[in-house]
Amino acid sequence: MTKIDFVTLFPGMFASVVAEGLLARARGKGLLETGFVNPRDFSPDKRRKVDERPYGGGAGMVMTPEPLYAAIKSAAKRGSRVVYLSPQGRPFNEKVARRLAKVRQLVLVCGHYEGIDERVMGLFNEEISIGDYVLSGGELAAMVVADAVTRWLPGMLKKEGAVEAESFSLTAGQRPLLEYPQYTRPKLWRSKKVPEVLLSGNHGKVAEWRLRAATLSTKRKRPDLLKTVRSH
Ligand code: ADE
């Protein structure tokens, strides 16, 4: 059982993500537990204030250190990995997702406003960005990370896919290639046919075709992936 705790000023944003789809399935299987801690509940201020103007001046507001500190301390148990979502973090990718899927507790900390007080940075084990753009807060990034990590929780992956991926190194995360094209019923749809080889029942031929199609698709859509050094 893995636990993902979200430290967020906006827990309501997560409602549908934990109630439907992959995360709901993982929770239903008993593979994932989710929790929420709101820094506002730890504000020493009687109006529950969690932000202030920056020292030194400048636009926007900064999250004050104490509510964030207390919220993280209350969420994080022994053996947890505390991750701060920020555009300044290391780029998130499938390799990071697989690594995080191995930890017992993941605490995803969502920032807001113009940022957080630098003095809480020492609480984080790592800082992660989901891409080179600026979101209004860390919540959407935390949901992206939670989804990608949950796919890799032991017991979540479909057996068939895992075996297939192993033989061709097409597993997301370690694969050098994009996924091959998929087809399903009907065989003929609006005058478009399913490639004959996929109907042949010849597993060797199917595998060969898929590898070729995946390579072609990668060349066309993401040539940069073929240039990266394979680390396996
Ligand atoms: N918070 C705001 N922008 C972000 C990004 N690109 N990645 C992660 N967290 C963020």
Side-chain angles (χ1 to χ4, degrees):
M1 160 76 82
T2 301
K3 186 162 189 226
I4 303 182
D5 283 283
F6 301 93
V7 173
T8 172
L9 293 171
F10 301 100
M13 283 180 74
F14 294 81
S16 54
V17 167
V18 298
E20 293 194 72
L22 182 81
L23 266 66
R25 187 143 48 86
R27 290 170 72 222
K29 285 177 171 222
L31 303 174
L32 175 72
E33 192 185 335
T34 50
F36 295 90
V37 181
N38 191 337
R40 208 174 282 288
D41 294 337
F42 296 87
S43 172
D45 183 273
K46 63 171 178 296
R47 278 151 63 203
R48 314 220 307 152
K49 200 170 159 63
V50 289
D51 61 326
E52 289 286 357
R53 289 196 309 250
Y55 280 127
M61 300 293 272
V62 176
M63 280 177 80
T64 55
E66 187 55 27
L68 208 48
Y69 173 87
I72 293 166
K73 283 288 174 196
S74 128
K77 302 289 177 283
R78 210 166 356 166
S80 68
R81 189 112 192 121
V82 183
V83 175
Y84 177 50
L85 284 313
S86 129
Q88 296 183 21
R90 298 255 300 272
F92 185 62
N93 59 29
E94 199 68 2
K95 204 171 154 195
V96 177
R98 293 181 74 167
R99 174 168 58 78
L100 295 179
K102 292 184 187 139
V103 309
R104 202 181 327 160
Q105 187 201 15
L106 196 55
V107 179
L108 299 177
V109 181
C110 309
H112 250 274
Y113 311 111
E114 292 307 304
I116 63 179
D117 190 300
E118 188 69 20
R119 291 168 294 181
V120 297
M121 287 294 180
L123 288 175
F124 306 128
N125 296 116
E126 56 188 299
E127 191 173 351
I128 289 179
S129 164
I130 63 157
D132 287 339
Y133 39 80
V134 181
L135 302 166
S136 59
E139 281 76 11
L140 288 168
M143 289 183 227
V144 166
V145 169
D147 188 280
V149 167
T150 299
R151 289 186 64 244
W152 287 106
L153 293 182
M156 282 305 288
L157 279 179
K158 286 179 219 101
K159 239 205 194 115
E160 200 192 325
V163 170
E164 201 176 329
E166 224 167 56
S167 27
F168 307 105
S169 292
L170 289 172
T171 319
Q174 59 176 22
R175 68 182 175 191
L177 298 176
L178 296 181
E179 209 58 81
Y180 48 78
Q182 298 275 21
Y183 295 87
T184 186
R185 298 209 285 184
K187 281 180 192 166
L188 185 67
W189 176 74
R190 294 184 182 248
S191 76
K192 289 179 199 288
K193 283 192 215 151
V194 172
E196 205 62 49
V197 61
L198 300 180
L199 313 172
S200 70
N202 183 331
H203 297 308
K205 283 264 184 295
V206 168
E208 218 173 87
W209 181 88
R210 285 184 166 166
L211 187 59
R212 199 149 17 87
T215 310
L216 234 134
S217 158
T218 308
K219 263 186 198 150
R220 213 177 309 125
K221 297 181 189 175
R222 292 287 309 275
D224 56 300
L225 289 180
L226 296 171
K227 284 189 208 108
T228 56
V229 179
R230 285 165 68 171
S231 58
H232 58 284

